[in-house]
Amino acid sequence: MEALLLSRWQFAITTIYHFLFVPLTLGLTIWVALLETCYVRTQRPHWKEPCRQLVKFFGTLFLINFSLGVVTGIVQEFHFGMNWSEYSRFMGDIFGAPLALEALTAFFLESTFLGIWMFGWDKLSPKAHCLCAWLIAIGSNLSAFWILVANSFMQHPVGYVVQNGRAEMNDFFALVTNPYVVGEYSHALFSGISTAGMLILAVSAWKYIHDKASQEVFRQVLLAGAIYMGIGVLGVMGSGHMHTQYLATANPMKLASMEALWENENPAPFAVMAVIDQDNHKNACEIKIPALFSLMLYNSPEGEVKGINTVNAEMVAKYGNGDYRPDVCGLFWSFRLMVGCGGAMLALAALVFTLIKMNMRELLSVVLKYVPLALPLPFLANTAGWFIAEGGRQPWIVVGLQKTADAVSPNLTVLEVFLTMVGFTLLYLVLIIAALYVAVRFIRKTSIPVDTSEGRDA
């Protein structure tokens, strides 16, 4: 086994670990800020204290998640220097700028006001404390923006020149306004809201069933959480649709691979399932819906979509001999896993919302017993989405400029990468188990009662 392959596995494993926490942080910060806004603005005295406790409850879950996200994210930075030094040498002038801005403008903002928020409950006015919550949310999501500016350059390079053997930035504005950022960022933002929404539903469902003292409070949270997750999933679908249409021009190879579309089609069908023969560049068998793929891309049942083999031939003519096809089977099924998880989450949000609004308590109790089992859905969808984004640009690390095989550090040994990969994997596993233990223990032991004597709407 080569150091290149091990380095790719190491980066994939550590990134997937890290990406378990990132979307949840994005969505939870907004949720906590919304909750605290409700706490500040509510005029119902019997709801005031439970609302404040809810802010602290979900704020604590956010802090546990945030700490894991920071720890696992730091390792990502070191990867570029240790495993991918050729990438850093060639792309550092461009890639380093958004990463530096992420630290200077977003992480400092987020971490500074997080400290004030944690220790300022009895030292700041409620409005000032609430402002801190919103600044944390802005900082977290601004951090995601800068990271995705850097990632979008890898997917669709703009604002650069190649000279002296390196890619150098010559237009920062083009880098920041890269059209690829719009689709990636909006998709990440709404996936964060969806992920947080699922966590809120799962935790609230468990509290509703097992903590009678908190039942009335978490019934209200369930309703709000279902709406929050529904908005998130619908946003994911809308932004994903918009980005897919953009990929038709920006990255047709990734688009065709997601559909296992080997040859040009007009109109192009949508493959529900396929047995993919990557070696012979065709599908052994498939179930297709005629014209649906063209309809998704062009809002019309007519329209040609380039196949993988055609795009590969174009890339050979442009970049030289080679195989520019990514892992088609992995992309095809990852896309369907992502869409399936999103659909299930939307259905679950609609079901919980309907049962609460119709006051069907007995049926609601039955459904809520199983809601925590759905908690892995957004994490599976996020991981699949990450694989589509990064696996879809292979064999490039930066499309059209540098291949992944040329980006690895030249002096790495197999043993070095193997040992660090095993070490990171085990360390992260221990950290996750510890975080889950702390979070579950906190959820089980924290009750939020409410005085309902003044009305059912408490």
Side-chain angles (χ1 to χ4, degrees):
M1 188 171 288
E2 298 177 346
L4 169 64
L5 183 58
L6 282 175
S7 292
R8 293 182 66 183
W9 269 106
Q10 178 171 295
F11 194 83
I13 291 170
T14 54
T15 303
I16 289 172
Y17 267 121
H18 179 56
F19 207 58
L20 294 175
F21 308 106
V22 172
L24 191 53
T25 290
L26 300 183
L28 272 181
T29 54
I30 297 173
W31 170 258
V32 171
L34 287 170
L35 265 183
E36 188 155 3
T37 303
C38 291
Y39 158 65
V40 171
R41 291 181 60 84
T42 185
Q43 301 299 315
R44 294 174 291 180
H46 49 283
W47 178 243
K48 196 79 173 177
E49 183 56 27
C51 200
R52 174 184 165 99
Q53 291 184 44
L54 275 176
V55 176
K56 290 187 173 182
F57 179 83
F58 284 104
T60 301
L61 296 182
F62 157 68
L63 290 173
I64 295 170
N65 183 75
F66 177 79
S67 61
L68 267 292
V70 171
V71 169
T72 53
I74 289 173
V75 174
Q76 302 302 100
E77 307 278 349
F78 287 108
H79 275 310
F80 298 120
M82 294 188 296
N83 293 58
W84 305 100
S85 62
E86 280 302 304
Y87 168 78
S88 298
R89 181 194 64 77
F90 188 69
M91 296 293 169
D93 184 71
I94 301 169
F95 197 76
L99 291 188
L101 284 167
E102 189 261 343
L104 292 172
T105 64
F107 188 69
F108 284 172
L109 175 70
E110 180 184 25
S111 54
T112 299
F113 284 96
L114 182 59
I116 297 173
W117 185 85
M118 288 172 59
F119 300 106
W121 274 102
D122 299 318
K123 300 177 179 64
L124 298 174
S125 69
K127 289 183 178 179
H129 197 268
C130 182
L131 177 61
C132 292
W134 278 109
L135 289 172
I136 296 167
I138 292 171
S140 297
N141 286 277
L142 184 59
S143 174
F145 171 77
W146 287 120
I147 296 297
L148 291 175
V149 166
N151 184 268
S152 293
F153 177 82
M154 299 168 73
Q155 310 282 351
H156 182 64
V158 293
Y160 72 96
V161 293
V162 177
Q163 56 186 14
N164 303 319
R166 300 172 64 243
E168 298 179 358
M169 189 189 336
N170 68 349
D171 190 344
F172 177 74
F173 185 73
L175 184 73
V176 175
T177 58
N178 186 345
Y180 213 97
V181 178
V182 178
E184 279 208 331
Y185 181 73
S186 57
H187 208 52
L189 172 64
F190 285 115
S191 70
I193 293 174
S194 305
T195 306
M198 189 66 247
L199 177 79
I200 293 159
L201 272 193
V203 170
S204 302
W206 192 91
K207 296 293 289 183
Y208 183 91
I209 297 297
H210 296 93
D211 183 359
K212 298 303 179 186
S214 306
Q215 192 173 71
E216 199 55 37
V217 168
F218 280 97
R219 184 174 181 274
Q220 299 293 327
V221 178
L222 278 167
L223 184 62
I227 295 172
Y228 194 63
M229 187 167 80
I231 292 172
V233 176
L234 289 174
V236 166
M237 290 178 174
S239 59
H241 176 67
M242 177 185 68
H243 194 55
T244 300
Q245 291 187 328
Y246 173 67
L247 286 179
T249 55
N251 196 333
M253 177 62 86
K254 179 188 292 186
L255 180 70
S257 299
M258 287 160 56
E259 290 304 316
L261 186 72
W262 294 96
E263 305 297 340
N264 296 2
E265 298 268 7
N266 186 9
F270 177 84
V272 178
M273 64 80 62
V275 178
I276 298 167
D277 185 351
Q278 176 104 19
D279 293 335
N280 293 304
H281 311 146
K282 65 179 184 179
N283 296 334
C285 66
E286 56 191 357
I287 298 175
K288 302 186 292 186
I289 301 175
L292 182 57
F293 195 30
S294 289
L295 181 64
M296 291 165 64
L297 292 182
Y298 305 116
N299 302 321
S300 164
E302 295 292 330
E304 184 182 57
V305 181
K306 288 183 180 178
I308 298 168
N309 294 330
T310 299
V311 180
N312 188 67
E314 292 176 352
M315 298 182 86
V316 168
K318 186 174 182 179
Y319 300 114
N321 289 332
D323 188 352
Y324 297 91
R325 303 174 184 90
D327 176 8
V328 176
C329 187
L331 291 172
F332 180 86
W333 288 111
S334 292
F335 180 72
R336 277 138 191 83
L337 174 63
M338 181 179 67
V339 172
C341 290
M345 291 166 62
L346 185 61
L348 184 61
L351 178 62
V352 171
F353 177 83
T354 303
L355 293 177
I356 294 175
K357 292 299 287 184
M358 296 181 70
N359 202 27
M360 302 171 70
R361 290 189 173 235
E362 290 186 5
L363 184 55
L364 177 66
S365 297
V366 174
V367 170
L368 292 183
K369 287 180 182 176
Y370 299 100
V371 167
L373 299 178
L375 184 57
L377 288 176
F379 299 98
L380 288 173
N382 294 336
T383 302
W386 171 83
F387 178 78
I388 293 168
E390 307 310 313
R393 63 174 154 75
Q394 300 301 323
W396 302 101
I397 194 167
V398 179
V399 175
L401 292 180
Q402 188 179 41
K403 290 184 177 178
T404 305
D406 299 327
V408 71
S409 300
N411 55 346
L412 279 179
T413 67
V414 172
L415 181 62
E416 288 171 340
V417 186
F418 179 77
L419 290 176
T420 53
M421 183 178 72
V422 172
F424 282 134
T425 303
L426 294 178
L427 177 62
Y428 282 12
L429 185 61
V430 171
L431 288 174
I432 287 180
I433 292 173
L436 284 175
Y437 173 78
V438 172
V440 170
R441 190 170 184 270
F442 171 77
I443 292 168
R444 292 171 66 94
K445 290 186 172 296
T446 305
S447 286
I448 306 178
V450 62
D451 180 8
T452 58
S453 60
E454 297 183 36
R456 277 279 344 271
D457 64 341

